Amino acid sequence: MIKVEWLYWLVGLVLVVMAVQMAADRSNPKRWTSAAFWGLLGLTFPYGTGVANATAKNGGWTLPAEPLGIAVLALIVLAGFNFLGKGIPVTSTGEEREASADRLGSRIFVPALTIPLVAIVCASVLDTSGLFETGKAALLGLGIGCLVALVVGMLVTGERKLSVPLHSGRSMLEAMGSALLLPQLLAVLGSLFALAGVGTQVGKIVHDVLPDHSKYLAVIAYCAGMFLFTVIMGNAFAAFPVMTAAIGWPVLIQQMHGNPPAVLAVGMLAGFSGTLCTPMAANFNIVPATLLELKDQYGPIKAQIPTALPLLVCSTAIMALFAF
């Protein structure tokens, strides 16, 4: 049985290898602290398995959680005080890239399409084969798809050295910086909010403020709350458990008998409109601006707001008119 932990260990190994590359790159003025950040992050993956075993009492090798917490604090210090830098990427010339693009044509998209294809096959066909850890077929399929895509990409381009994609990946890692981790941290924040009872407290406030049986005001509160919490946390999936526990389930579904799939799906859509408006959604808004080297880091957000606000209004109207 292929376990999801193996995928995490592989991710950690790749980060450690790239950290070694960063330490050897003298063009990076912050090479040692950059290497420390990504190397430390890479080591947390296998170490986290031992912590999880100790917490869940799964047996096997167990490790104390305190060093992992110290590592997280060290990562925060390295990123927060701007100790991450990037070197000069070793790449081909513009003329060489144009010639390669002309030679490859549409075949350049084959590796990218390989990832979802392999993930779908693993999740739908191989899920019940006993090959994968129970409930992890989709995630493992995504990881296996990336590995297959790497091989396919090297075959398509004719590249024979594994160091080339590793160096390219390291350059992209340096370009994205610590913003790469923001979605994961925000997802954890959403879980912490839910466990801390933030949704329950928000629900009490809404119950005290909203008039009884005011369906339209409750819909507005739910959709606007999904929007605002997504703006704050940068992730609609993080906002969803908070606002659904506060308004979506107890008020719109249980009290007002809304159709659960319609209420929850349209609520997520309202949250996605908030994703378009916040720098906290780094993987959608900040990272692309960094990779494209845009002069205005918030350019994507400014361009998306005219779409996001009408989307919020339409989501609210759709839920009010068709979810009950």
Side-chain angles (χ1 to χ4, degrees):
M1 179 185 294
I2 301 176
K3 297 182 178 181
V4 72
E5 289 295 326
W6 300 352
L7 175 60
Y8 296 150
W9 297 347
L10 178 60
V11 172
L13 176 62
V14 171
L15 290 174
V16 170
V17 171
M18 291 183 176
V20 173
Q21 292 178 333
M22 292 176 193
D25 184 6
R26 296 183 180 275
S27 67
N28 185 350
K30 301 177 181 178
R31 59 182 178 133
W32 294 114
T33 48
S34 296
F37 180 89
W38 295 110
L40 189 59
L41 177 63
L43 292 174
T44 62
F45 282 84
Y47 192 93
T49 299
V51 175
N53 289 339
T55 303
K57 299 180 180 179
N58 291 329
W61 51 286
T62 60
L63 295 170
E66 289 78 8
L68 189 59
I70 294 173
V72 172
L73 294 176
L75 292 175
I76 293 172
V77 170
L78 289 170
F81 288 92
N82 196 28
F83 284 126
L84 301 186
K86 57 182 178 180
I88 300 174
V90 179
T91 183
S92 55
T93 64
E95 292 77 10
E96 290 173 335
R97 288 194 292 273
E98 288 183 6
S100 179
D102 293 337
R103 175 175 61 86
L104 295 173
S106 298
R107 288 183 296 161
I108 194 64
F109 296 106
V110 173
L113 296 174
T114 301
I115 299 175
L117 178 62
V118 173
I120 290 172
V121 170
C122 291
S124 59
V125 179
L126 302 178
D127 186 19
T128 58
S129 65
L131 182 63
F132 302 127
E133 181 180 349
T134 304
K136 304 295 183 180
L139 181 57
L140 284 168
L142 180 62
I144 295 171
C146 291
L147 294 175
V148 174
L150 172 62
V151 175
V152 171
M154 295 181 69
L155 292 175
V156 169
T157 59
E159 183 56 60
R160 295 295 179 264
K161 296 180 179 179
L162 184 60
S163 60
V164 173
L166 280 174
H167 279 292
S168 298
R170 188 252 303 180
S171 297
M172 182 171 290
L173 196 67
E174 290 178 333
M176 291 187 289
S178 59
L180 180 68
L181 302 182
L182 193 56
Q184 289 80 9
L185 295 176
L186 293 172
V188 172
L189 179 62
S191 299
L192 292 176
F193 274 26
L195 291 173
V198 174
T200 302
Q201 296 304 316
V202 172
K204 291 180 180 179
I205 295 173
V206 172
H207 183 270
D208 294 338
V209 173
L210 287 179
D212 292 337
H213 307 294
S214 179
K215 178 181 71 175
Y216 296 115
L217 289 179
V219 168
I220 292 173
Y222 182 49
C223 292
M226 281 293 300
F227 176 86
L228 292 175
F229 266 80
T230 301
V231 169
I232 294 171
M233 295 191 283
N235 193 318
F237 290 99
F240 183 76
V242 175
M243 292 308 302
T244 300
I247 305 173
W249 188 264
V251 178
L252 295 178
I253 295 175
Q254 290 187 326
Q255 292 184 17
M256 301 181 179
H257 308 291
N259 180 273
V263 170
L264 302 181
V266 179
M268 282 295 294
L269 183 61
F272 293 150
S273 63
T275 304
L276 301 175
C277 302
T278 175
M280 297 297 287
N283 53 329
F284 288 101
N285 301 325
I286 302 302
V287 170
T290 301
L291 293 177
L292 295 173
E293 298 181 350
L294 299 181
K295 294 181 179 179
D296 185 0
Q297 187 180 27
Y298 302 105
I301 295 176
K302 295 176 181 177
Q304 291 164 177
I305 287 177
T307 299
L309 296 181
L311 178 62
L312 174 61
V313 173
C314 291
S315 300
T316 306
I318 290 171
M319 183 182 295
L321 294 175
F322 301 107
F324 298 91

